[in-house]
Each structure stands twice: as C-alpha cells, then as structure tokens.
Amino acid sequence: MVSQDQSKDSVSKKNGGKELGMVTPQDKPLKKMKFVSSAETEPTSTTTISEDSKSGRGMSTMPRVVKRKLQKIKPVVEYNKRGKGCGPAHTEMQSYIGVLAPSRVPLVDKKWAEIPKDIKEQIWEAVDMAFVVGQGGKTSVLSLAAKKWKDFKSTLTRHYILPYIKEREKLSQPPEIYKFIEKAEWDAFVASRLSKEFECVHSQHSQIREKLEYNHRLPRKRYAGLEDQLEETMLGVEIDRSTLWKKARQDKHGNIPDPKVVEKAKLMVSLHTLF
C-alpha cells in the first residue's frame, strides 16, 4: 500500500519537484511572502498586455511574476500600521511596476496627467492580475507608476544624454539596453532635453539638490520598509519619526558618517529627552 506521503512525493516528482500551488525555493527570491490562489480572489479585470510574447513596445515582464500568473498564484501586498506598503511582496510589486511603466508608457516630454487613460489602465490591470494590492489599490499603483516613469526619464537624461552634449553623434540611437524605445521618440526626447527650456529647469533642480544637507542612505525599501524591519528587531520599542530619521542615515555598521547629520541626531535626542 502506498502511503499518503509517498503519493504526494510521487506527484511532486512528476511536476518537476513542485506541488500544485507551491513555489520552490529557487522561484522565491524574497522570503516571508504570503500567497493566495487566484481562485480565492474575485477577478477584477482582464489585462490587454501580452506578456508571453514580444509585442507593442516590447517585453514588460519579470519572469517569476509571469510564472506565478500561469500558476494562478498572487502574492499579498502588506501594509504597516501607518498604511504604507512594506514587505517582500510590496518590494517585488515596485520592481514590476518599474519594468511596466517605462516600457509601456511612451517616452515623451509630457506630464503623467497627459498620458492616455488606456495606457494607465493596462498597467493597473497587469499589476492587479499579478498581486493582491489591497488598500490604496489602483490609485497607489498608478501613483507609483508615475514616479517610476519619471525616474526612468531622469535616468536617461542623466546617464545617456547630458554626458554626451558635446558628442552629439552618440545621441543618434536609443541606449542598447532599452530596445523598446523607438528611434523617433528617442530623437524627440533628446531634442527636448537639449532645449534651452530644459536647461533652465535642470539648473533650478540642481540648485535645490545642492541645498539638501541630510540625505538618507535607504535603498529601495524606503522608510516604510525600514520601519517594518525595525519593528521586528526592536521589540517593545516605539519606532517614532526621530528613530526612523536617524536609522535611515546610518551605515551598515550603525554609524553616521556625516558630521552634520550627527549633530542633528544629537539635537533630536536632547529634544526628545526634554519632552
């Protein structure tokens, strides 16, 4: 007689070492991620974005996300007590939106509000099919998409356009790593970044950045992720804004390299003691 455990093991081997609805360790780049089957959630949309073939502006996927879609498994995005997204599923969703937004939204010198609604809808539908977004929903996803799109244009400007102002021949083609950018839109974008109007705006923003004295050292997880981490490691300690501010400016050894930040941190401690 074959035991229940042996039967399970047999099925698992037939499926390449996986049981239905399970994710193997090599499929999980992030830990502590909560999953639900798509069957447990109400379908809210039908995406029009093709993710298994190169179409439109090109591939806009992360393979592991597409794989889970086929398995009908969706990570649940978590939120901390302040209502900010946190945890591995939120981090992965950010990465996914960071791939979707640049490759699906045209590279134009416009504001996000001017982008056609159908393009925004496609981004939301793709994310909604891949994650259980929860609170904030569509609004938070599109807000993040707007930021990712803006950041992408900033990256192109800083790394692929401004350094070659005196070598215009190097601006004749889009960067090789961004194959989804059409030459016509690249040419138009380059022209906008070399204009007198942009030069003026760029100069103003540079002056503002130079005035920032207390830059944080946080990676992509930002403050919400830091707070989530501290709540796990500093049990019983209230994580207030001053604690977050100081921790965000420490290096991996717990030191604050910038003397100006050290002085500001000391001032915070003294004020906290008074109150």
Side-chain angles (χ1 to χ4, degrees):
M1 181 179 291
V2 180
S3 69
Q4 188 174 0
D5 289 340
Q6 289 174 319
S7 178
K8 272 189 177 181
D9 185 57
S10 176
V11 173
S12 177
K13 287 179 180 178
K14 287 181 182 179
N15 286 282
K18 301 177 186 178
E19 293 184 42
L20 186 61
M22 299 297 290
V23 181
T24 61
Q26 61 266 32
D27 292 331
K28 289 198 302 181
L30 301 168
K31 59 183 179 179
K32 295 183 179 179
M33 193 180 290
K34 178 182 178 183
F35 295 91
V36 297
S37 166
S38 295
E40 297 175 46
T41 59
E42 290 293 328
T44 58
S45 59
T46 303
T47 185
T48 56
I49 294 180
S50 173
E51 297 190 301
D52 55 2
S53 63
K54 192 165 185 176
S55 61
R57 287 175 56 82
M59 287 292 284
S60 60
T61 62
M62 290 166 58
R64 63 179 176 270
V65 175
V66 177
K67 187 173 184 179
R68 285 203 304 262
K69 281 187 179 183
L70 295 175
Q71 296 175 324
K72 299 188 182 301
I73 299 173
K74 298 170 67 171
V76 179
V77 177
E78 298 178 292
Y79 298 84
N80 63 21
K81 62 185 179 182
R82 299 180 190 274
K84 300 294 184 180
C86 62
H90 182 261
T91 299
E92 189 178 62
M93 184 181 74
Q94 285 185 305
S95 297
Y96 187 49
I97 295 173
V99 174
L100 283 172
S103 62
R104 290 296 164 180
V105 183
L107 183 63
V108 290
D109 188 31
K110 293 183 178 181
K111 295 182 179 180
W112 179 256
E114 300 175 272
I115 299 302
K117 291 182 179 180
D118 63 321
I119 293 178
K120 297 176 183 178
E121 191 66 25
Q122 288 184 0
I123 293 175
W124 159 243
E125 289 176 353
V127 175
D128 187 39
M129 287 185 68
F131 298 88
V132 178
V133 180
Q135 62 190 54
K138 186 175 182 178
T139 300
S140 63
V141 166
L142 292 183
S143 176
L144 184 54
K147 182 181 184 305
K148 294 291 185 181
W149 181 62
K150 182 179 179 181
D151 289 347
F152 176 64
K153 294 196 295 180
S154 178
T155 296
L156 289 176
T157 303
R158 288 184 290 108
H159 296 291
Y160 298 99
I161 297 179
L162 296 184
Y164 305 108
I165 289 180
K166 296 181 180 180
E167 302 175 84
R168 298 296 178 90
E169 69 280 359
K170 293 185 178 181
L171 299 176
S172 61
Q173 296 292 332
E176 183 65 24
I177 61 172
Y178 301 120
K179 298 182 183 296
F180 53 81
I181 301 178
E182 301 290 341
K183 187 178 186 311
E185 63 181 343
W186 170 252
D187 290 343
F189 185 70
V190 169
S192 73
R193 290 313 190 243
L194 298 181
S195 67
K196 290 294 183 182
E197 291 79 6
F198 180 78
E199 183 180 348
C200 180
V201 172
H202 180 68
S203 176
Q204 291 174 353
H205 287 178
S206 296
Q207 291 174 17
I208 292 173
R209 283 195 296 273
E210 288 177 0
K211 294 179 181 179
L212 296 177
E213 296 184 275
Y214 310 112
N215 293 310
H216 64 68
R217 305 168 62 88
L218 293 176
R220 183 174 50 189
K221 64 185 179 182
R222 313 295 284 185
Y223 277 100
L226 175 62
E227 183 176 11
D228 186 45
Q229 176 187 323
L230 294 179
E231 286 179 346
E232 292 183 1
T233 58
M234 298 174 63
L235 300 177
V237 178
E238 181 183 357
I239 310 300
D240 57 22
R241 293 180 64 182
S242 64
T243 300
L244 283 174
W245 191 91
K246 287 180 289 185
K247 291 292 183 180
R249 287 156 181 80
Q250 292 178 351
D251 60 22
K252 61 182 179 180
H253 302 296
N255 301 315
I256 300 178
D258 191 334
K260 290 182 180 180
V261 177
V262 172
E263 289 303 314
K264 181 64 71 172
K266 289 179 179 179
L267 177 60
M268 286 184 176
V269 171
S270 62
L271 290 175
H272 186 74
T273 303
L274 288 175
F275 294 99

PDB file of all heavy atoms in Angstrom, residues 126-153:
ATOM      1  N   ALA A 126      -2.400  44.819 -15.365  1.00  0.00           N
ATOM      2  CA  ALA A 126      -1.282  43.886 -15.284  1.00  0.00           C
ATOM      3  C   ALA A 126      -0.855  43.662 -13.835  1.00  0.00           C
ATOM      4  O   ALA A 126      -0.586  42.532 -13.421  1.00  0.00           O
ATOM      5  CB  ALA A 126      -0.102  44.409 -16.103  1.00  0.00           C
ATOM      6  N   VAL A 127      -0.806  44.731 -13.045  1.00  0.00           N
ATOM      7  CA  VAL A 127      -0.425  44.622 -11.635  1.00  0.00           C
ATOM      8  C   VAL A 127      -1.513  43.910 -10.839  1.00  0.00           C
ATOM      9  O   VAL A 127      -1.228  43.053  -9.993  1.00  0.00           O
ATOM     10  CB  VAL A 127      -0.157  46.025 -11.036  1.00  0.00           C
ATOM     11  CG1 VAL A 127       0.108  45.927  -9.535  1.00  0.00           C
ATOM     12  CG2 VAL A 127       1.021  46.683 -11.735  1.00  0.00           C
ATOM     13  N   ASP A 128      -2.758  44.233 -11.130  1.00  0.00           N
ATOM     14  CA  ASP A 128      -3.887  43.639 -10.424  1.00  0.00           C
ATOM     15  C   ASP A 128      -3.962  42.132 -10.658  1.00  0.00           C
ATOM     16  O   ASP A 128      -4.397  41.384  -9.787  1.00  0.00           O
ATOM     17  CB  ASP A 128      -5.185  44.312 -10.892  1.00  0.00           C
ATOM     18  CG  ASP A 128      -6.391  43.879 -10.080  1.00  0.00           C
ATOM     19  OD1 ASP A 128      -6.250  43.733  -8.846  1.00  0.00           O
ATOM     20  OD2 ASP A 128      -7.462  43.668 -10.666  1.00  0.00           O
ATOM     21  N   MET A 129      -3.528  41.694 -11.824  1.00  0.00           N
ATOM     22  CA  MET A 129      -3.533  40.260 -12.119  1.00  0.00           C
ATOM     23  C   MET A 129      -2.376  39.521 -11.455  1.00  0.00           C
ATOM     24  O   MET A 129      -2.425  38.315 -11.265  1.00  0.00           O
ATOM     25  CB  MET A 129      -3.454  40.035 -13.632  1.00  0.00           C
ATOM     26  CG  MET A 129      -4.729  40.362 -14.381  1.00  0.00           C
ATOM     27  SD  MET A 129      -4.591  39.934 -16.131  1.00  0.00           S
ATOM     28  CE  MET A 129      -4.519  38.150 -16.027  1.00  0.00           C
ATOM     29  N   ALA A 130      -1.337  40.285 -11.078  1.00  0.00           N
ATOM     30  CA  ALA A 130      -0.139  39.653 -10.525  1.00  0.00           C
ATOM     31  C   ALA A 130      -0.047  39.728  -9.006  1.00  0.00           C
ATOM     32  O   ALA A 130       0.642  38.921  -8.388  1.00  0.00           O
ATOM     33  CB  ALA A 130       1.108  40.300 -11.139  1.00  0.00           C
ATOM     34  N   PHE A 131      -0.742  40.697  -8.388  1.00  0.00           N
ATOM     35  CA  PHE A 131      -0.649  40.895  -6.940  1.00  0.00           C
ATOM     36  C   PHE A 131      -2.015  41.192  -6.332  1.00  0.00           C
ATOM     37  O   PHE A 131      -2.886  41.762  -6.992  1.00  0.00           O
ATOM     38  CB  PHE A 131       0.280  42.074  -6.617  1.00  0.00           C
ATOM     39  CG  PHE A 131       1.695  41.888  -7.064  1.00  0.00           C
ATOM     40  CD1 PHE A 131       2.080  42.259  -8.354  1.00  0.00           C
ATOM     41  CD2 PHE A 131       2.649  41.346  -6.213  1.00  0.00           C
ATOM     42  CE1 PHE A 131       3.390  42.090  -8.781  1.00  0.00           C
ATOM     43  CE2 PHE A 131       3.961  41.175  -6.636  1.00  0.00           C
ATOM     44  CZ  PHE A 131       4.332  41.538  -7.922  1.00  0.00           C
ATOM     45  N   VAL A 132      -2.167  40.841  -5.061  1.00  0.00           N
ATOM     46  CA  VAL A 132      -3.332  41.272  -4.293  1.00  0.00           C
ATOM     47  C   VAL A 132      -2.914  42.598  -3.668  1.00  0.00           C
ATOM     48  O   VAL A 132      -2.201  42.630  -2.661  1.00  0.00           O
ATOM     49  CB  VAL A 132      -3.709  40.252  -3.201  1.00  0.00           C
ATOM     50  CG1 VAL A 132      -4.900  40.770  -2.403  1.00  0.00           C
ATOM     51  CG2 VAL A 132      -4.027  38.902  -3.817  1.00  0.00           C
ATOM     52  N   VAL A 133      -3.325  43.680  -4.273  1.00  0.00           N
ATOM     53  CA  VAL A 133      -2.813  45.001  -3.900  1.00  0.00           C
ATOM     54  C   VAL A 133      -3.338  45.486  -2.558  1.00  0.00           C
ATOM     55  O   VAL A 133      -2.617  46.075  -1.763  1.00  0.00           O
ATOM     56  CB  VAL A 133      -3.134  46.036  -5.002  1.00  0.00           C
ATOM     57  CG1 VAL A 133      -2.595  47.406  -4.614  1.00  0.00           C
ATOM     58  CG2 VAL A 133      -2.529  45.593  -6.326  1.00  0.00           C
ATOM     59  N   GLY A 134      -4.613  45.266  -2.295  1.00  0.00           N
ATOM     60  CA  GLY A 134      -5.161  45.694  -1.008  1.00  0.00           C
ATOM     61  C   GLY A 134      -5.430  47.182  -0.958  1.00  0.00           C
ATOM     62  O   GLY A 134      -5.761  47.809  -1.966  1.00  0.00           O
ATOM     63  N   GLN A 135      -5.231  47.777   0.223  1.00  0.00           N
ATOM     64  CA  GLN A 135      -5.577  49.186   0.430  1.00  0.00           C
ATOM     65  C   GLN A 135      -4.780  50.098  -0.506  1.00  0.00           C
ATOM     66  O   GLN A 135      -3.633  49.855  -0.800  1.00  0.00           O
ATOM     67  CB  GLN A 135      -5.354  49.573   1.887  1.00  0.00           C
ATOM     68  CG  GLN A 135      -3.927  49.450   2.375  1.00  0.00           C
ATOM     69  CD  GLN A 135      -3.834  49.615   3.872  1.00  0.00           C
ATOM     70  OE1 GLN A 135      -4.500  48.937   4.638  1.00  0.00           O
ATOM     71  NE2 GLN A 135      -3.006  50.526   4.321  1.00  0.00           N
ATOM     72  N   GLY A 136      -5.438  51.132  -0.945  1.00  0.00           N
ATOM     73  CA  GLY A 136      -4.785  52.024  -1.906  1.00  0.00           C
ATOM     74  C   GLY A 136      -5.124  51.645  -3.324  1.00  0.00           C
ATOM     75  O   GLY A 136      -5.432  52.485  -4.151  1.00  0.00           O
ATOM     76  N   GLY A 137      -5.096  50.338  -3.601  1.00  0.00           N
ATOM     77  CA  GLY A 137      -5.487  49.794  -4.889  1.00  0.00           C
ATOM     78  C   GLY A 137      -4.935  50.508  -6.103  1.00  0.00           C
ATOM     79  O   GLY A 137      -3.748  50.787  -6.216  1.00  0.00           O
ATOM     80  N   LYS A 138      -5.815  50.789  -7.017  1.00  0.00           N
ATOM     81  CA  LYS A 138      -5.458  51.382  -8.298  1.00  0.00           C
ATOM     82  C   LYS A 138      -4.748  52.724  -8.151  1.00  0.00           C
ATOM     83  O   LYS A 138      -3.772  53.004  -8.861  1.00  0.00           O
ATOM     84  CB  LYS A 138      -6.729  51.554  -9.140  1.00  0.00           C
ATOM     85  CG  LYS A 138      -6.502  52.028 -10.550  1.00  0.00           C
ATOM     86  CD  LYS A 138      -7.825  52.042 -11.308  1.00  0.00           C
ATOM     87  CE  LYS A 138      -7.641  52.470 -12.745  1.00  0.00           C
ATOM     88  NZ  LYS A 138      -8.933  52.444 -13.491  1.00  0.00           N
ATOM     89  N   THR A 139      -5.211  53.537  -7.225  1.00  0.00           N
ATOM     90  CA  THR A 139      -4.613  54.864  -7.033  1.00  0.00           C
ATOM     91  C   THR A 139      -3.143  54.759  -6.659  1.00  0.00           C
ATOM     92  O   THR A 139      -2.292  55.465  -7.209  1.00  0.00           O
ATOM     93  CB  THR A 139      -5.368  55.650  -5.947  1.00  0.00           C
ATOM     94  OG1 THR A 139      -6.728  55.814  -6.344  1.00  0.00           O
ATOM     95  CG2 THR A 139      -4.737  57.020  -5.742  1.00  0.00           C
ATOM     96  N   SER A 140      -2.819  53.884  -5.705  1.00  0.00           N
ATOM     97  CA  SER A 140      -1.435  53.741  -5.255  1.00  0.00           C
ATOM     98  C   SER A 140      -0.555  53.155  -6.345  1.00  0.00           C
ATOM     99  O   SER A 140       0.605  53.549  -6.507  1.00  0.00           O
ATOM    100  CB  SER A 140      -1.359  52.872  -3.996  1.00  0.00           C
ATOM    101  OG  SER A 140      -1.809  51.559  -4.258  1.00  0.00           O
ATOM    102  N   VAL A 141      -1.097  52.209  -7.111  1.00  0.00           N
ATOM    103  CA  VAL A 141      -0.328  51.581  -8.192  1.00  0.00           C
ATOM    104  C   VAL A 141       0.019  52.594  -9.271  1.00  0.00           C
ATOM    105  O   VAL A 141       1.164  52.689  -9.726  1.00  0.00           O
ATOM    106  CB  VAL A 141      -1.108  50.397  -8.806  1.00  0.00           C
ATOM    107  CG1 VAL A 141      -0.489  49.969 -10.147  1.00  0.00           C
ATOM    108  CG2 VAL A 141      -1.115  49.220  -7.837  1.00  0.00           C
ATOM    109  N   LEU A 142      -0.958  53.381  -9.682  1.00  0.00           N
ATOM    110  CA  LEU A 142      -0.713  54.363 -10.746  1.00  0.00           C
ATOM    111  C   LEU A 142       0.163  55.509 -10.256  1.00  0.00           C
ATOM    112  O   LEU A 142       0.931  56.090 -11.028  1.00  0.00           O
ATOM    113  CB  LEU A 142      -2.034  54.882 -11.306  1.00  0.00           C
ATOM    114  CG  LEU A 142      -2.858  53.849 -12.078  1.00  0.00           C
ATOM    115  CD1 LEU A 142      -4.113  54.487 -12.657  1.00  0.00           C
ATOM    116  CD2 LEU A 142      -2.034  53.214 -13.197  1.00  0.00           C
ATOM    117  N   SER A 143       0.073  55.829  -8.982  1.00  0.00           N
ATOM    118  CA  SER A 143       0.943  56.857  -8.421  1.00  0.00           C
ATOM    119  C   SER A 143       2.396  56.384  -8.467  1.00  0.00           C
ATOM    120  O   SER A 143       3.305  57.151  -8.812  1.00  0.00           O
ATOM    121  CB  SER A 143       0.530  57.163  -6.976  1.00  0.00           C
ATOM    122  OG  SER A 143       1.414  58.083  -6.386  1.00  0.00           O
ATOM    123  N   LEU A 144       2.588  55.112  -8.146  1.00  0.00           N
ATOM    124  CA  LEU A 144       3.924  54.540  -8.199  1.00  0.00           C
ATOM    125  C   LEU A 144       4.412  54.436  -9.642  1.00  0.00           C
ATOM    126  O   LEU A 144       5.589  54.674  -9.930  1.00  0.00           O
ATOM    127  CB  LEU A 144       3.926  53.157  -7.540  1.00  0.00           C
ATOM    128  CG  LEU A 144       5.271  52.442  -7.422  1.00  0.00           C
ATOM    129  CD1 LEU A 144       6.298  53.328  -6.717  1.00  0.00           C
ATOM    130  CD2 LEU A 144       5.097  51.130  -6.674  1.00  0.00           C
ATOM    131  N   ALA A 145       3.505  54.104 -10.555  1.00  0.00           N
ATOM    132  CA  ALA A 145       3.867  54.020 -11.968  1.00  0.00           C
ATOM    133  C   ALA A 145       4.325  55.376 -12.490  1.00  0.00           C
ATOM    134  O   ALA A 145       5.286  55.474 -13.265  1.00  0.00           O
ATOM    135  CB  ALA A 145       2.680  53.515 -12.780  1.00  0.00           C
ATOM    136  N   ALA A 146       3.649  56.430 -12.054  1.00  0.00           N
ATOM    137  CA  ALA A 146       4.023  57.786 -12.463  1.00  0.00           C
ATOM    138  C   ALA A 146       5.435  58.115 -11.996  1.00  0.00           C
ATOM    139  O   ALA A 146       6.241  58.690 -12.744  1.00  0.00           O
ATOM    140  CB  ALA A 146       3.035  58.800 -11.887  1.00  0.00           C
ATOM    141  N   LYS A 147       5.757  57.732 -10.760  1.00  0.00           N
ATOM    142  CA  LYS A 147       7.084  58.002 -10.212  1.00  0.00           C
ATOM    143  C   LYS A 147       8.146  57.203 -10.963  1.00  0.00           C
ATOM    144  O   LYS A 147       9.223  57.725 -11.286  1.00  0.00           O
ATOM    145  CB  LYS A 147       7.126  57.650  -8.732  1.00  0.00           C
ATOM    146  CG  LYS A 147       8.473  57.959  -8.083  1.00  0.00           C
ATOM    147  CD  LYS A 147       8.496  57.580  -6.624  1.00  0.00           C
ATOM    148  CE  LYS A 147       9.825  57.987  -5.981  1.00  0.00           C
ATOM    149  NZ  LYS A 147      11.004  57.435  -6.684  1.00  0.00           N
ATOM    150  N   LYS A 148       7.852  55.922 -11.228  1.00  0.00           N
ATOM    151  CA  LYS A 148       8.816  55.073 -11.942  1.00  0.00           C
ATOM    152  C   LYS A 148       9.080  55.606 -13.349  1.00  0.00           C
ATOM    153  O   LYS A 148      10.216  55.575 -13.834  1.00  0.00           O
ATOM    154  CB  LYS A 148       8.296  53.642 -12.012  1.00  0.00           C
ATOM    155  CG  LYS A 148       8.184  52.937 -10.674  1.00  0.00           C
ATOM    156  CD  LYS A 148       9.538  52.651 -10.073  1.00  0.00           C
ATOM    157  CE  LYS A 148       9.423  51.838  -8.787  1.00  0.00           C
ATOM    158  NZ  LYS A 148      10.750  51.571  -8.182  1.00  0.00           N
ATOM    159  N   TRP A 149       8.038  56.078 -14.011  1.00  0.00           N
ATOM    160  CA  TRP A 149       8.177  56.631 -15.366  1.00  0.00           C
ATOM    161  C   TRP A 149       9.028  57.904 -15.330  1.00  0.00           C
ATOM    162  O   TRP A 149       9.914  58.098 -16.158  1.00  0.00           O
ATOM    163  CB  TRP A 149       6.794  56.912 -15.937  1.00  0.00           C
ATOM    164  CG  TRP A 149       6.781  57.448 -17.332  1.00  0.00           C
ATOM    165  CD1 TRP A 149       7.247  56.822 -18.457  1.00  0.00           C
ATOM    166  CD2 TRP A 149       6.253  58.707 -17.760  1.00  0.00           C
ATOM    167  NE1 TRP A 149       7.043  57.624 -19.564  1.00  0.00           N
ATOM    168  CE2 TRP A 149       6.435  58.779 -19.162  1.00  0.00           C
ATOM    169  CE3 TRP A 149       5.640  59.772 -17.099  1.00  0.00           C
ATOM    170  CZ2 TRP A 149       6.020  59.892 -19.908  1.00  0.00           C
ATOM    171  CZ3 TRP A 149       5.236  60.871 -17.836  1.00  0.00           C
ATOM    172  CH2 TRP A 149       5.426  60.925 -19.230  1.00  0.00           C
ATOM    173  N   LYS A 150       8.772  58.742 -14.343  1.00  0.00           N
ATOM    174  CA  LYS A 150       9.542  59.980 -14.186  1.00  0.00           C
ATOM    175  C   LYS A 150      11.004  59.664 -13.867  1.00  0.00           C
ATOM    176  O   LYS A 150      11.930  60.290 -14.413  1.00  0.00           O
ATOM    177  CB  LYS A 150       8.927  60.830 -13.074  1.00  0.00           C
ATOM    178  CG  LYS A 150       9.623  62.167 -12.870  1.00  0.00           C
ATOM    179  CD  LYS A 150       8.942  62.964 -11.770  1.00  0.00           C
ATOM    180  CE  LYS A 150       9.661  64.298 -11.536  1.00  0.00           C
ATOM    181  NZ  LYS A 150       9.009  65.084 -10.446  1.00  0.00           N
ATOM    182  N   ASP A 151      11.221  58.687 -12.985  1.00  0.00           N
ATOM    183  CA  ASP A 151      12.582  58.292 -12.627  1.00  0.00           C
ATOM    184  C   ASP A 151      13.331  57.742 -13.841  1.00  0.00           C
ATOM    185  O   ASP A 151      14.536  57.975 -14.000  1.00  0.00           O
ATOM    186  CB  ASP A 151      12.567  57.230 -11.522  1.00  0.00           C
ATOM    187  CG  ASP A 151      12.131  57.791 -10.176  1.00  0.00           C
ATOM    188  OD1 ASP A 151      12.089  59.031 -10.035  1.00  0.00           O
ATOM    189  OD2 ASP A 151      11.823  56.984  -9.269  1.00  0.00           O
ATOM    190  N   PHE A 152      12.616  56.994 -14.676  1.00  0.00           N
ATOM    191  CA  PHE A 152      13.227  56.419 -15.874  1.00  0.00           C
ATOM    192  C   PHE A 152      13.700  57.525 -16.808  1.00  0.00           C
ATOM    193  O   PHE A 152      14.825  57.482 -17.333  1.00  0.00           O
ATOM    194  CB  PHE A 152      12.225  55.511 -16.588  1.00  0.00           C
ATOM    195  CG  PHE A 152      12.725  54.947 -17.886  1.00  0.00           C
ATOM    196  CD1 PHE A 152      13.816  54.089 -17.905  1.00  0.00           C
ATOM    197  CD2 PHE A 152      12.114  55.268 -19.082  1.00  0.00           C
ATOM    198  CE1 PHE A 152      14.286  53.565 -19.113  1.00  0.00           C
ATOM    199  CE2 PHE A 152      12.567  54.749 -20.282  1.00  0.00           C
ATOM    200  CZ  PHE A 152      13.665  53.894 -20.305  1.00  0.00           C
ATOM    201  N   LYS A 153      12.865  58.532 -17.003  1.00  0.00           N
ATOM    202  CA  LYS A 153      13.254  59.643 -17.877  1.00  0.00           C
ATOM    203  C   LYS A 153      14.440  60.403 -17.281  1.00  0.00           C
ATOM    204  O   LYS A 153      15.324  60.872 -18.014  1.00  0.00           O
ATOM    205  CB  LYS A 153      12.061  60.582 -18.091  1.00  0.00           C
ATOM    206  CG  LYS A 153      10.923  59.941 -18.877  1.00  0.00           C
ATOM    207  CD  LYS A 153       9.946  60.968 -19.402  1.00  0.00           C
ATOM    208  CE  LYS A 153       9.214  61.683 -18.300  1.00  0.00           C
ATOM    209  NZ  LYS A 153       8.253  62.679 -18.857  1.00  0.00           N
TER     210      LYS A 153
END
